[in-house]
Amino acid sequence: MTVLWMVLALLLLLGLRVPVAWALLVPALVYVVLDGSASFQIAAQQTVSGVNTFPLLAVPLFIMLGNIANVSGISDRLFNAATALLGHFRGSLGYVNVFTSFGFAWMSGAAISDAAALGRVQVPAMLKRNYPEGLTLGITAGSSLIAPILPPSIPAIIYAVTAGISVGALFIAGIVPALLLLTVLCVTVFVSLRKRNDLRLAKASVRDQVTLSLKALPALGAAIVVLGGILGGIFTPTEAAGIGVVYMTVLAIFYGAMNWHNVRRVLQNTVETTGSVLIIVCAAALFGWVLARERVPQLAGEFIFGLTENPIVFLLLLNVLLFIIGAIIEPTAAILVLVPVLAPVATLYGLDPLHVGSVIIFNLMLGLLTPPVGLVLFVLSSVTDIPVSRIIRGVVPVYVPLVAVLLLISFIPFFTTWLPGVLG
């Protein structure tokens, strides 16, 4: 009964547009006050323990890495290089859109950063050349989801710390799903523009292709530093994040982008984003402690396992639940609240933790494209001056390939477990 009113209070506060951190914190504090056996000292310890972990230090570092990439003009260099290499294909800017997002994802780790940095470049360029507005917006929004799935994924760090699994392994588990997403988005562009022979650019000269590719190549070095260091056992993910920040800072200085205005902008954005994320982590840690104290994970496991012993049915129910939750709760908060409950339940079905983690992260990322939260929708609207209603209309058709990838990784564990298994 206690847990029921806490959940109802959480939903009510979220419905009243109360910030997520307070929506989690207030019911948990009320519980501590009303329960005589729960002291404020223990509650404070549980709250602080939520952020007192070394792997979580990677979050502000990767946020800073993405912010440095934003101000250093790397998105423009990637876009120009991709345009030179792919511009002569039919519907070329659609493919450029997807591949640029893929390249930028190795540095950002967040869909919002991708949408903000690349949306301002890709959307005007495509609309100027008479690409359909709906497809332009849909592909731009859909391709932004590559960032939180491909390493260095910030949601993956949050999930791994919460579930107590390897950050590096969960990073690797996201690579194949990200490649699947890239593939289905390219297929969407091909099918949508297969009759538009007018949507080609003149083929760039070999000299331009080489020159623009060389200008973009150093930016991709961040991926080699981060992922190569983790795979090679040279760095932990947190250490790789720190090395990545140093590398990107040196690169930004070389590009002449690190003036005082941009330094202030990077630091300010990093502090603001990190602060908002870690406040949610603290509040969710206390909320999760209350749930654990009331044996919610065990009770949920018994209830769900009583409904079905079939792991396929469980995954189907899980996806439906996550899709609903992702539409109304910000992904970070959803991960922090749901994972302590759902991860133990998944083990009852013998499901691989990396498989379950990849499914949960991918599903919740769809919430970034789903009203009423839909943060990517609002970011795209702010950088393109296009009303959110029109962006939503463009995103709806792209849901088909996105859901197709979700179903593939949900019911075929090979896509998420093969690469971590190969790499040990």
Side-chain angles (χ1 to χ4, degrees):
M1 191 65 184
T2 302
V3 174
L4 179 60
W5 75 254
M6 285 184 62
V7 173
L8 291 176
L10 171 63
L11 296 176
L12 176 62
L13 291 172
L14 290 173
L16 295 174
R17 312 300 293 176
V18 174
V20 173
W22 287 106
L24 290 167
L25 192 61
V26 170
L29 289 176
V30 171
Y31 171 89
V32 174
V33 171
L34 297 180
D35 191 302
S37 62
S39 69
F40 276 101
Q41 181 179 0
I42 295 176
Q45 291 174 350
Q46 294 297 325
T47 303
V48 173
S49 68
V51 294
N52 190 24
T53 61
F54 181 71
L56 205 58
L57 182 60
V59 171
L61 292 173
F62 279 128
I63 290 173
M64 177 174 283
L65 178 63
N67 284 328
I68 296 172
N70 280 344
V71 303
S72 60
I74 286 174
S75 58
D76 295 321
R77 291 171 182 268
L78 292 173
F79 183 81
N80 292 336
T83 302
L85 295 172
L86 303 173
H88 57 285
F89 292 103
R90 183 191 299 114
S92 57
L93 290 187
Y95 302 115
V96 168
N97 191 323
V98 176
F99 278 95
T100 304
S101 290
F102 185 79
F104 192 76
W106 294 102
M107 293 164 278
S108 69
I112 295 175
S113 297
D114 185 291
L118 301 178
R120 64 176 180 81
V121 178
Q122 295 167 339
V123 173
M126 292 180 70
L127 295 180
K128 183 179 179 180
R129 291 171 173 81
N130 297 319
Y131 280 74
E133 182 184 77
L135 179 68
T136 298
L137 297 170
I139 290 297
T140 303
S143 63
S144 72
L145 299 191
I146 297 174
I149 297 168
L150 196 69
S153 163
I154 292 174
I157 298 171
I158 302 292
Y159 184 100
V161 171
T162 306
I165 62 177
S166 166
V167 175
L170 193 56
F171 274 0
I172 305 309
I175 292 178
V176 173
L179 292 172
L180 284 174
L181 181 54
L182 179 144
T183 301
V184 298
L185 289 174
C186 287
V187 171
T188 301
V189 172
F190 174 80
V191 172
S192 302
L193 303 177
R194 63 189 182 279
K195 297 181 180 179
R196 293 291 303 272
N197 287 317
D198 58 309
L199 297 180
R200 296 176 186 264
L201 300 176
K203 186 172 184 178
S205 66
V206 174
R207 180 178 180 179
D208 286 342
Q209 290 179 353
V210 172
T211 300
L212 293 172
S213 297
L214 289 176
K215 287 183 177 180
L217 194 58
L220 299 178
I224 299 173
V225 170
V226 172
L227 193 57
I230 295 172
L231 291 180
I234 303 172
F235 314 126
T236 66
T238 303
E239 293 166 345
I243 298 296
V245 168
V246 173
Y247 176 89
M248 192 59 66
T249 301
V250 172
L251 191 61
I253 293 172
F254 177 76
Y255 287 159
M258 292 304 282
N259 53 51
W260 285 114
H261 171 74
N262 284 341
V263 169
R264 179 181 177 183
R265 181 179 163 192
V266 166
L267 295 177
Q268 181 177 345
N269 289 342
T270 301
V271 170
E272 289 177 354
T273 306
T274 302
S276 64
V277 170
L278 294 187
I279 288 174
I280 293 174
V281 172
C282 286
L286 181 59
F287 194 90
W289 172 73
V290 173
L291 295 181
R293 201 167 186 269
E294 293 293 323
R295 298 186 67 253
V296 171
Q298 294 88 337
L299 294 174
E302 293 171 4
F303 174 75
I304 296 175
F305 204 70
L307 292 176
T308 178
E309 296 182 9
N310 190 325
I312 301 298
V313 176
F314 167 72
L315 286 170
L316 185 61
L317 294 174
L318 176 66
N319 276 311
V320 173
L321 172 66
L322 292 172
F323 189 82
I324 296 172
I325 296 296
I328 58 177
I329 301 181
E330 192 269 336
T332 299
I335 289 172
L336 291 165
V337 173
L338 294 176
V339 169
V341 177
L342 295 177
V345 176
T347 60
L348 296 176
Y349 292 90
L351 298 172
D352 190 290
L354 298 179
H355 173 215
V356 175
S358 299
V359 171
I360 291 177
I361 291 171
F362 194 104
N363 195 313
L364 291 176
M365 292 308 105
L366 292 179
L368 295 173
L369 307 184
T370 309
V373 175
L375 296 178
V376 166
L377 305 176
F378 294 98
V379 169
L380 275 180
S381 178
S382 67
V383 300
T384 62
D385 293 326
I386 296 175
V388 173
S389 59
R390 280 160 54 188
I391 295 176
I392 293 173
R393 286 197 295 270
V395 167
V396 168
V398 179
Y399 258 101
V400 175
L402 295 180
V403 172
V405 174
L406 175 62
L407 294 176
L408 284 174
I409 66 173
S410 295
F411 301 114
I412 306 178
F414 170 84
F415 290 119
T416 53
T417 60
W418 170 72
L419 193 55
V422 169
L423 298 175

